[in-house]
Structure formats: C-alpha cells, structure tokens
C-alpha cells in the first residue's frame, strides 16, 4: 500500500507528514534542511513506501531536496505557497 507525503520547507527545517488513503499515518516529523537531513527523509519515505511527495516551495530552500527526490523515482510536485494559502482561504480553513 503506497502513500504520499507533504513537506513544508523552511531555511532550517523540513516538516513532513505521511498519508495513506487520505489519512495521516504519522505525526509531523521534522528533519534538518541539509544533506544529512535530506538523506534521513529519503530513508523514511522509502521505508514507508511513499510514492508521491508534495513540497511547498520556499525561496530556494527546497531545491536540493527536490533534486535528490527527483532521482529516486518518487513522484514530486512543487507547490507555490501562495496557491496553498489561496486554496485554504477558499476552503475556509485557517491553516494549509
């Protein structure tokens, strides 16, 4: 059973939530936004059989992670943070 993950990117951290069948199967997991953290997140994604990842682009802080994930065969979507906020507004939610 394959899952998906959402990753919120900041300069220092990557906050990750893994879902299966539309339900979160983990509490948010935080990784450092550096080479060591990227390898750790990849290991978790592969262990949980994640096939799709959505990354919220933040400046250039998401680029190294996306390059790593792109080479693994995991489907990758980079989301514009403004679009995520507008979607939350339309859905009348206070958080994304």
């Amino acid at each position: 059973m394959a899952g998906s993950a959402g990753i919120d990117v900041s300069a220092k951290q990557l906050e990750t939530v893994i879902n299966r069948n539309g339900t979160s199967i983990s509490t948010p997991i935080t990784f450092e936004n550096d080479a060591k953290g990227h390898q750790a997140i990849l290991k978790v994604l592969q262990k949980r059989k994640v096939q799709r990842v959505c990354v919220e682009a933040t400046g250039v802080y998401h680029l190294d992670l996306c390059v790593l994930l792109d080479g693994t065969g995991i489907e990758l979507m980079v989301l514009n943070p403004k679009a995520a906020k507008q979607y939350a507004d339309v859905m009348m939610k206070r958080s994304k």
Side-chain angles (χ1 to χ4, degrees), residues 64-82:
D64 290 338
L65 175 65
C66 289
V67 169
L68 174 69
L69 293 177
D70 186 51
T72 65
I74 294 173
E75 291 179 32
L76 181 63
M77 181 175 93
V78 179
L79 180 65
N80 181 318
K82 189 171 189 174

Side-chain angles (χ1 to χ4, degrees), residues 32-43:
E32 295 299 314
N33 193 359
D34 58 16
K36 186 177 174 183
H38 297 167
Q39 290 299 321
I41 198 170
L42 177 59
K43 191 174 187 179

Side-chain angles (χ1 to χ4, degrees), residues 34-52:
D34 58 16
K36 186 177 174 183
H38 297 167
Q39 290 299 321
I41 198 170
L42 177 59
K43 191 174 187 179
V44 169
L45 295 174
Q46 290 174 331
K47 180 180 179 184
R48 301 265 177 108
K49 296 181 174 55
V50 171
Q51 288 184 331
R52 293 178 188 93

Side-chain angles (χ1 to χ4, degrees), residues 6-53:
I7 303 174
D8 187 20
V9 179
S10 72
K12 295 186 180 195
Q13 295 183 325
L14 305 165
E15 189 160 334
T16 307
V17 175
I18 299 172
N19 292 294
R20 184 159 291 121
N21 297 325
T23 304
S24 177
I25 62 168
S26 72
T27 58
I29 307 166
T30 303
F31 300 91
E32 295 299 314
N33 193 359
D34 58 16
K36 186 177 174 183
H38 297 167
Q39 290 299 321
I41 198 170
L42 177 59
K43 191 174 187 179
V44 169
L45 295 174
Q46 290 174 331
K47 180 180 179 184
R48 301 265 177 108
K49 296 181 174 55
V50 171
Q51 288 184 331
R52 293 178 188 93
V53 173

